[in-house]
Amino acid sequence: MARIRFDFGTLTLDAELLDTPTAKAIAAKLPVTSSALTWGEEVYFDVPVTVAREKEARAVVTPGEIAYWPDGPAIAIGFGRTPISQGDETRLASPCNVFARALGDVKALAGVKAGTLVTVTMVAAA
C-alpha cells in the first residue's frame, strides 16, 4: 500500500496506508498543511476530509496506529496516555477510523508543540 509522510519541521514520521475508505479519502486530498494540537500524549490536526465513522472505528488505539477523527475532522496520532485513558491505554476522544500504521517511533511526537505546522504528503515508492 502507499505511504504518507508527516513533516513537523524538525521531525518526520512515515506511515503505511491501510486499505480503507478513510485512507483513500485522505490520500486524495494530499498534500495538506495544518497546525498541530496536543492532548495528553496525542498530536492531532484538522484536515479537509469528510468521512463517516467506519464500522471498525474505535477510541482505544495502539501507539503507531494513525486515526481519522470524524468528529474533528482531524488526524489523530496517539502515542501514550490521554486525559481520558484508563490505565496505560491510548484512548482518543471518541471512536476513530484507523487508516495508517506508523513506520517509525511515534513516541518522538512528544516533542511536538501545539501550533507546530505539519505537512502531510504522499511518499514516492522506493
Side-chain angles (χ1 to χ4, degrees):
M1 194 66 186
R3 289 184 177 184
I4 58 173
R5 176 167 293 147
F6 299 91
D7 186 342
F8 293 92
T10 58
L11 165 76
T12 60
L13 177 69
D14 285 2
E16 189 172 64
L17 291 175
L18 303 176
D19 187 12
T20 70
T22 299
K24 290 175 178 65
I26 289 172
K29 291 286 189 178
L30 299 181
V32 167
T33 299
S34 191
S35 183
L37 297 165
T38 60
W39 188 55
E41 293 179 302
E42 174 189 325
V43 171
Y44 68 101
F45 51 91
D46 293 343
V47 290
V49 177
T50 303
V51 181
R53 182 170 283 126
E54 294 175 4
K55 187 173 65 205
E56 300 81 17
R58 53 196 160 88
V60 177
V61 298
T62 301
E65 290 181 322
I66 299 173
Y68 168 80
W69 183 41
D71 299 345
I75 289 176
I77 308 172
F79 55 91
R81 295 184 39 114
T82 66
I84 61 170
S85 290
Q86 298 171 11
D88 290 333
E89 72 184 8
T90 300
R91 183 179 292 268
L92 306 178
S94 59
C96 294
N97 302 339
V98 173
F99 73 92
R101 204 168 308 290
L103 299 172
D105 184 6
V106 291
K107 294 276 186 200
L109 295 176
V112 173
K113 303 293 182 223
T116 300
L117 284 184
V118 54
T119 300
V120 187
T121 56
M122 295 299 297
V123 177

